[in-house]
Amino acid sequence: MNIVTTPDPRLRIKCKKVNHVDDEIREMVDNMIQNCLDWEKEHKFEISAALAAPQLGYDRRIIVVREDTEDKNNATFIPLLNPEVIKTEGKTVYDYEGCLSVPSYYGMVPRPTKARIKAQTIDGQEVRIKADGFLARTLLHEIDHLNGILFIDHIKDVKDAFYRLNDKGDLVPVDYDKDIANNKDLFPDED
């Protein structure tokens, strides 16, 4: 697998816009989808809901989002190029987020419950998406990646916000002072 993980600096860049779709962009999208599927084969309790291009080291504004995030057997992903948040609304809700690029950790992350997104399809058509709930959270998480932001940045100073999966697939709290506070893999620029 080619997933880029923390503290790799490629996860902290603002990605470049896709100006036109060519074979290279199509190959990136195919590779992103394949890496999602390969990753989840190794993680029986987890599903790969989405992936952003910088997670494979691509400096492009591309995300792929699983069509059905409840069904691991549904391997259909929707590529979105140059996605941008037009508006967020609704209450801010804390919920669990994980990330292929932040292995072993989950976090209780605040996000708005609704988001309006503008993007292009792989065929160059503009789409507008009104998302709520988990889809809104997923899109906001992935668009953050395109701007060099990880979910951990939203909660880095919150002591009770970090979790790990145990061997039964349950999320359990981690010791913030021991595992998070001085973890240079998660926060390499911290003193």
Side-chain angles (χ1 to χ4, degrees):
M1 290 186 303
N2 302 314
I3 305 293
V4 175
T5 60
T6 55
D8 194 305
R10 292 176 291 175
L11 293 171
R12 297 304 190 165
I13 61 169
K14 185 166 180 162
C15 294
K16 297 175 188 164
K17 185 176 181 178
V18 175
N19 292 315
H20 67 282
V21 176
D22 56 16
D23 289 341
E24 180 183 18
I25 296 297
R26 290 181 189 281
E27 186 176 328
M28 284 180 193
V29 167
D30 290 344
N31 197 23
M32 290 169 68
I33 293 168
Q34 190 57 54
N35 271 268
C36 285
L37 297 172
D38 290 346
W39 179 89
E40 71 183 25
K41 286 177 189 173
E42 302 291 321
H43 299 82
K44 71 178 186 173
F45 297 119
E46 299 162 291
I47 190 167
S48 180
L51 190 74
Q55 293 182 269
L56 291 184
Y58 301 136
D59 180 14
R60 294 290 182 272
R61 296 188 75 76
I62 305 169
I63 64 174
V64 294
V65 181
R66 193 181 210 112
E67 183 179 77
D68 183 350
T69 58
E70 298 293 318
D71 183 3
K72 213 171 184 178
N73 295 317
N74 183 339
T76 303
F77 285 77
I78 300 164
L80 297 172
L81 312 178
N82 305 317
E84 58 184 281
V85 178
I86 301 301
K87 181 180 182 180
T88 60
E89 55 192 358
K91 294 187 334 184
T92 296
V93 174
Y94 286 78
D95 204 351
Y96 295 107
E97 289 187 24
C99 182
L100 280 62
S101 292
V102 184
S104 303
Y105 292 102
Y106 284 79
M108 191 62 87
V109 180
R111 301 247 188 221
T113 57
K114 297 179 183 182
R116 292 182 190 211
I117 309 297
K118 179 174 81 170
Q120 287 91 42
T121 67
I122 195 81
D123 298 319
Q125 299 297 311
E126 183 177 294
V127 292
R128 293 190 179 253
I129 302 166
K130 283 183 173 181
D132 62 3
F134 185 72
L135 179 58
R137 178 173 294 277
T138 300
L139 290 168
L140 293 171
H141 176 112
E142 298 308 325
I143 292 170
D144 269 358
H145 271 298
L146 302 180
N147 295 311
I149 300 167
L150 301 175
F151 82 86
I152 56 177
D153 299 332
H154 295 288
I155 57 171
K156 70 180 182 180
D157 296 322
V158 182
K159 287 194 172 209
D160 61 351
F162 289 88
Y163 297 80
R164 281 195 171 157
L165 278 180
N166 66 16
D167 58 359
K168 296 177 184 172
D170 298 319
L171 287 170
V172 294
V174 299
D175 182 324
Y176 181 88
D177 293 325
K178 178 181 165 198
D179 295 328
I180 305 299
N182 297 308
N183 188 327
K184 294 297 183 192
D185 284 341
L186 295 179
F187 305 109
D189 296 335
E190 301 293 316
D191 295 321

